[in-house]
Amino acid sequence: MSVKLFSLYRRLSRPLPAVKTKRLASSSTWHGSLTICPTPLGNLSDISLRQKETLLGADVIACEDTRVTKQLLALLRRQEPGSLTGKTPYLISYHDNNELKCSQEVVDLVLSGNRVVLASDAGTPCISDPGYRLVQAAIAKGIPITSLPGPVAAMVALTASGAPTDRFFFEGFPPRQEGKLVTRLRELREMETTVILYESPRRLLGLLIAAEHVYGPNHVVFVGRELTKMYEEHFRGPISDVIGSLKKKEVIKGEVTVILYPDCTVDEADSDSQMVSLSLGLLVRELKASGLREREIKDVLGRVTQVKSRSVADILEKLR
């Protein structure tokens, strides 16, 4: 959308509140603002007051899918009846296919004195989503960037996975071609750290099968599906077991995040220290909270860590 078309829209729309602008030291013109605004992954209750005020107070929102953002704005207005009455942000479709072309148009809107917000359909913009090119273009024009904190599926999955979090690597979406995927997984394994990946539901099994080939069938993996939503699911255990569980599902739907534990094959000679690296304490607490008896916990941990039942029993005793 051109600046001229937007100006026409502004004239035909209801009067908008005065736009607060900031004069940059290097320019004699007045500028609007650019704000990076996360949106909930799936639970509307996760939105912050600041995010809500930013979205409802925007002149323009650059978003992936205008239909999704329009629906979100309607829900937010329903929560705050009477707030910002008459103000309707103009929505611009901003996605992978038009990011290069649209970035300059969005920057021009900021330079024309508009409060522009960059939003994703779900989660934080620029994190495996369009946006960084727009930020680069804005920086080149001397426009200050405001980035709001908010939900990121990678962090939600990581903290729920039980994998070590003192050091981790975010890969995002891996290569689609099988050969390149296997090569990349081998490189990731050599990092010897927790790895976070995004993947589409239809390619999830292919990713896990490739990971099983590279890491081995007993390597521990976590898969989080539909995080924060009504049908959220977690799959945790040896890759072969997780693959088996997913194959039982008729269809896999929703957003998926995969966590690969660091390379830590468990053997009897060093089982105690290796199980600590697999966050055994967190696993025991989670299994107890689910109502499992000690015998069942020993069986589950024995299969996940590949240690003898006696060793698991010793560690359970220490954790009582």
Side-chain angles (χ1 to χ4, degrees):
M1 184 197 72
S2 68
V3 176
K4 289 182 179 180
L5 286 176
F6 178 72
S7 299
L8 177 61
Y9 165 80
R10 288 285 297 271
R11 287 197 297 272
L12 296 176
S13 300
R14 297 178 183 179
L16 297 176
V19 177
K20 293 181 180 179
T21 57
K22 180 178 179 180
R23 187 185 296 276
L24 300 181
S26 61
S27 176
S28 59
T29 59
W30 289 91
H31 291 254
S33 60
L34 176 62
T35 302
I36 314 301
C37 184
T39 57
L41 296 175
N43 190 326
L44 187 61
S45 299
D46 292 336
I47 197 164
S48 72
L49 178 61
R50 191 179 177 197
Q51 292 163 7
K52 185 187 301 185
E53 290 175 345
T54 298
L55 289 167
L56 292 177
D59 296 315
V60 181
I61 299 178
C63 49
E64 290 182 85
D65 189 330
T66 57
R67 296 166 298 180
V68 173
T69 302
K70 185 177 181 179
Q71 202 170 32
L72 174 61
L73 291 173
L75 291 171
L76 295 179
R77 288 196 189 92
R78 201 174 301 167
Q79 289 183 345
E80 302 288 338
S83 69
L84 297 171
T85 303
K87 182 170 182 60
T88 304
Y90 193 91
L91 305 184
I92 299 175
S93 182
Y94 183 90
H95 46 73
D96 285 325
N97 295 328
N98 71 353
E99 188 175 10
L100 285 173
K101 176 185 176 182
C102 198
S103 291
Q104 189 54 54
E105 294 182 1
V106 174
V107 167
D108 289 342
L109 288 169
V110 176
L111 295 175
S112 298
N114 299 290
R115 285 178 290 192
V116 178
V117 172
L118 174 64
S120 296
D121 288 345
T124 300
C126 305
I127 307 298
S128 281
D129 267 330
Y132 80 89
R133 291 187 178 90
L134 172 57
V135 174
Q136 287 179 341
I139 291 172
K141 292 293 185 178
I143 297 172
I145 309 297
T146 300
S147 183
L148 306 187
V152 179
M155 297 300 101
V156 175
L158 177 63
T159 52
S161 68
T165 57
D166 54 331
R167 181 171 171 265
F168 55 87
F169 181 82
F170 176 66
E171 172 70 3
F173 288 93
R176 295 187 181 187
Q177 295 180 3
E178 183 178 353
K180 292 181 178 179
L181 174 60
V182 170
T183 298
R184 183 56 182 159
L185 287 172
R186 285 172 177 158
E187 294 170 350
L188 293 173
R189 183 181 183 184
E190 291 176 359
M191 292 182 181
E192 298 183 350
T193 189
T194 299
V195 175
I196 309 170
L197 305 104
Y198 289 160
E199 190 54 285
S200 72
R202 61 188 180 87
R203 288 195 295 270
L204 175 60
L205 283 174
L207 168 62
L208 293 176
I209 290 170
E212 182 181 35
H213 173 74
V214 173
Y215 283 83
N218 296 317
H219 191 86
V220 180
V221 68
F222 171 88
V223 175
R225 190 187 73 84
E226 292 287 77
L227 296 173
T228 79
K229 299 179 183 178
M230 183 181 295
Y231 299 106
E232 177 173 350
E233 280 188 303
H234 294 177
F235 300 87
R236 183 188 295 102
I239 297 179
S240 58
D241 288 2
V242 171
I243 291 174
S245 298
L246 289 169
K247 282 184 175 179
K248 292 177 183 177
K249 298 178 71 68
E250 290 185 11
V251 61
I252 302 172
K253 296 181 179 179
E255 302 294 327
V256 178
T257 305
V258 177
I259 309 289
L260 293 170
Y261 277 56
D263 201 2
C264 45
T265 303
V266 179
D267 55 35
E268 293 184 16
D270 195 24
S271 61
D272 287 359
S273 62
Q274 292 292 347
M275 280 194 292
V276 169
S277 71
L278 291 175
S279 304
L280 180 61
L282 291 175
L283 290 173
V284 170
R285 283 193 289 273
E286 185 172 327
L287 292 171
K288 281 186 175 181
S290 70
L292 291 181
R293 294 173 296 180
E294 282 202 2
R295 178 179 297 178
E296 294 169 321
I297 292 175
K298 292 175 187 177
D299 178 61
V300 170
L301 293 179
R303 286 188 289 107
V304 170
T305 60
Q306 288 191 312
V307 296
K308 293 181 178 179
S309 178
R310 179 68 256 173
S311 299
V312 177
D314 291 341
I315 295 177
L316 278 169
E317 183 69 29
K318 293 176 184 178
L319 294 174
R320 283 176 183 168

